[in-house]
Amino acid sequence: MTKTVIIGTNHAGIAAANTLLDNYPDQEVVMIDRNSNLSYLGCGTALWVGRQIDDYQGLFYTNKADFEAKGAKIYMETSVDRIDFVKKNVYCVQQDGKSFTESYDKLILATGSRPIAPKVPGHDLPGIHFLKLFQEGQAVDAEISKESVKRVAVIGAGYIGVEIAEAAKRRGKEVLLFDAADRSLPSYYDKWFTDEMDKNLVDHGIETHFGDLVKEYKGNDRVHAIVADSGEYQVDMVINAIGFGPNAELAKDHLELFPNGAYLVDRHQQTSDPDVYAVGDCATIYSNALEKMTYIALASNAVRSGIVAGHNVGGTPLESAGVQGSNGISIWGLNLVSTGLSVMAAEKNGLDVKYTDFEDLQKPGFVKGENDTVKIRIVYETASRRIVGAQLASKQDISMGIHMFSLAIEKHVTIDELKLLDIFFLPHFNQPYNYITMAALSAE
């Protein structure tokens, strides 16, 4: 028997555990997590807080009993105090203070990410919340449910910030959305797309403060104001959604790290210690668009990395296919999806790129009913002409189209190969001169 210890039981750790338990009967699997629950889909928190779904129960897709039924030993509400990488021992402390040690043959680190929390004055005041764990979602929901909470400040206009701003507004709150960047969603979309989202937010009553850095929180027994570059604002609650960084404290002095502090892994998810693997948001991942290792914290990436690590630990050599960082967001019916690199992200990473844009109705103009405009941008490398990114926006559900672009990036498809791609036409779905085809044909 080979004993594998997995530290962390959210998406990446769960995927690794399931892979080992379902495919390798010679594996003894031990799972350890400091939380009281596992498998929480944090991306659904805003849907629950905004009452777009009935409750949070469906946001959990597995539980401790499921793994015990498969033969795993699982410790919840248990912290890992330290790891002896020479003796291969994991030293644990349970919530009641009891200590114990687990030895390992192989170790999988799946410790995830943690919220970025700038230590500005007043950062520790009550009434300032984060959104990562289920318990934090519960706390935010409980606060928003109070009639005394009327004005909510959201700090950070990335995915989580924009989604929770919508949720709070749906609950009847005044919402102020702050970001030091000059627009929302700058990590995944170019300005042509975020201008539309920014207008969507304002049209639905969100007070946006872009290019406005929050420098201080004020209050006595709880936060009652924030101070930003543009002035002081009275608020009853703050939700911090600035972003996340890798949670790589346990092994930072033993393993090789990426510049941002994540565990540096190869395409087998193996770290600089051959008996230690790292998966999910605590580790790097290979970008097919950049053609090198990078850091992209997404649940979908976490699941894939866990599967790859599980097979390699189990004895089946498997190399990651790499990722594109495919993602999407839907706010008051405006859908944005992207994969790979935006023009801004490509240039920031030193890639010389060009792009092609097109905008048209989803279906022919004679089609009655839902038929909204679709915007598309395809980003491609100047020299090789390989596609390195794509973005789409519409009130139609255009989400499935981004999967094709994800595969195109992975397979190094060029913009020229896309020009005459066999795309079917039927008025119920699209136009004879499809916006994908037209964007490709319009490329320089």
Side-chain angles (χ1 to χ4, degrees):
M1 292 288 284
T2 299
K3 184 177 179 181
T4 298
V5 173
I6 302 172
I7 302 175
T9 64
N10 215 5
H11 310 307
I14 284 170
N18 277 327
T19 300
L20 287 167
L21 293 165
D22 293 344
N23 297 282
Y24 302 98
D26 62 336
Q27 279 281 331
E28 178 186 353
V29 176
V30 179
M31 305 168 69
I32 304 168
D33 200 293
R34 62 187 176 186
N35 207 341
S36 59
N37 59 73
L38 62 157
S39 82
Y40 179 63
L41 292 169
C43 55
T45 299
L47 292 174
W48 158 40
V49 173
R51 298 299 186 263
Q52 291 174 268
I53 57 176
D54 293 335
D55 57 47
Y56 57 75
Q57 301 297 334
L59 299 178
F60 294 93
Y61 57 89
T62 190
N63 54 58
K64 179 182 178 182
D66 290 344
F67 289 99
E68 290 175 331
K70 290 184 177 185
K73 184 190 296 182
I74 181 165
Y75 297 99
M76 302 302 296
E77 297 182 281
T78 299
S79 298
V80 174
D81 188 46
R82 64 186 177 91
I83 302 168
D84 187 326
F85 294 97
V86 177
K87 295 181 179 179
K88 294 188 176 182
N89 283 329
V90 177
Y91 297 91
C92 308
V93 181
Q94 294 180 308
Q95 191 178 47
D96 61 6
K98 180 184 176 183
S99 299
F100 66 94
T101 302
E102 284 286 350
S103 62
Y104 68 86
D105 297 306
K106 300 291 182 182
L107 177 66
I108 298 177
L109 299 171
T111 47
S113 58
R114 52 188 177 184
I116 296 169
K119 298 295 190 287
V120 299
H123 69 274
D124 54 353
L125 283 168
I128 299 174
H129 298 266
F130 294 88
L131 275 179
K132 172 70 175 176
L133 305 175
F134 168 61
Q135 293 91 332
E136 291 167 336
Q138 283 182 304
V140 166
D141 184 63
E143 286 271 280
I144 284 180
S145 297
K146 295 177 181 176
E147 200 163 317
S148 58
V149 173
K150 300 184 185 302
R151 282 170 61 86
V152 177
V154 178
I155 316 302
Y159 272 173
I160 294 175
V162 169
E163 289 169 345
I164 202 64
E166 178 195 25
K169 190 65 183 179
R170 285 178 178 272
R171 296 288 295 277
K173 309 301 178 181
E174 295 179 54
V175 181
L176 293 75
L177 178 61
F178 290 83
D179 202 294
D182 62 359
R183 55 197 178 92
S184 66
L185 311 176
S187 296
Y188 296 106
Y189 299 94
D190 290 315
K191 193 172 184 297
W192 190 40
F193 294 86
T194 59
D195 281 352
E196 198 162 337
M197 181 58 76
D198 293 349
K199 182 179 183 300
N200 184 40
L201 293 167
V202 172
D203 287 349
H204 284 89
I206 302 294
E207 184 180 316
T208 57
H209 293 263
F210 297 141
D212 203 1
L213 181 67
V214 173
K215 301 184 291 187
E216 183 181 357
Y217 302 110
K218 287 187 173 181
N220 296 316
D221 55 337
R222 67 174 282 126
V223 66
H224 67 70
I226 62 172
V227 180
D229 287 336
S230 62
E232 183 172 321
Y233 300 87
Q234 298 299 305
V235 297
D236 303 308
M237 174 186 179
V238 173
I239 302 172
N240 189 324
I242 295 173
F244 298 93
N247 180 16
E249 288 295 308
L250 271 178
K252 67 178 183 180
D253 297 325
H254 175 69
L255 301 177
E256 189 175 349
L257 303 178
F258 196 62
N260 75 334
Y263 299 126
L264 182 64
V265 297
D266 64 15
R267 293 181 70 169
H268 299 271
Q269 302 300 139
Q270 194 172 38
T271 69
S272 53
D273 182 330
D275 292 321
V276 180
Y277 293 73
V279 294
D281 293 355
C282 68
T284 57
I285 201 156
Y286 185 82
S287 163
N288 288 309
L290 291 173
E291 297 184 309
K292 64 180 181 181
M293 282 291 172
T294 189
Y295 182 77
I296 306 173
L298 288 170
S300 51
N301 291 348
V303 170
R304 282 187 286 272
S305 67
I307 293 170
V308 170
H311 281 298
N312 281 291
V313 168
T316 303
L318 178 65
E319 186 174 272
S320 167
V323 302
Q324 287 66 252
S326 303
N327 62 91
I329 189 169
S330 181
I331 302 295
W332 281 299
L334 176 60
N335 307 309
L336 271 63
V337 292
S338 78
T339 190
L341 305 170
S342 66
V343 174
M344 188 181 80
E347 292 173 347
K348 182 180 178 182
N349 282 279
L351 267 67
D352 181 14
V353 298
K354 293 182 179 180
Y355 63 91
T356 177
D357 293 341
F358 198 76
E359 185 172 2
D360 201 358
L361 290 171
Q362 171 72 26
K363 307 167 189 174
F366 59 77
V367 173
K368 296 180 180 180
E370 292 186 5
N371 189 18
D372 292 299
T373 298
V374 181
K375 295 168 68 168
I376 183 171
R377 170 169 292 178
I378 307 171
V379 184
Y380 58 98
E381 194 173 36
T382 303
S384 68
R385 299 185 66 78
R386 69 184 179 96
I387 296 168
V388 297
Q391 301 158 68
L392 291 132
S394 181
K395 289 185 177 179
Q396 298 277 148
D397 181 1
I398 36 76
S399 59
M400 291 302 292
I402 209 66
H403 301 311
M404 183 202 73
F405 285 104
S406 177
L407 184 61
I409 296 169
E410 181 180 323
K411 297 302 181 183
H412 289 74
V413 173
T414 67
I415 189 67
D416 304 301
E417 289 174 308
L418 194 64
K419 291 178 179 179
L420 295 178
L421 177 69
D422 180 10
I423 297 176
F424 86 96
F425 159 63
L426 191 68
H428 305 69
F429 300 103
N430 58 3
Q431 299 218 46
Y433 287 84
N434 188 282
Y435 50 80
I436 296 173
T437 301
M438 296 305 295
L441 286 170
S442 302
E444 291 182 25

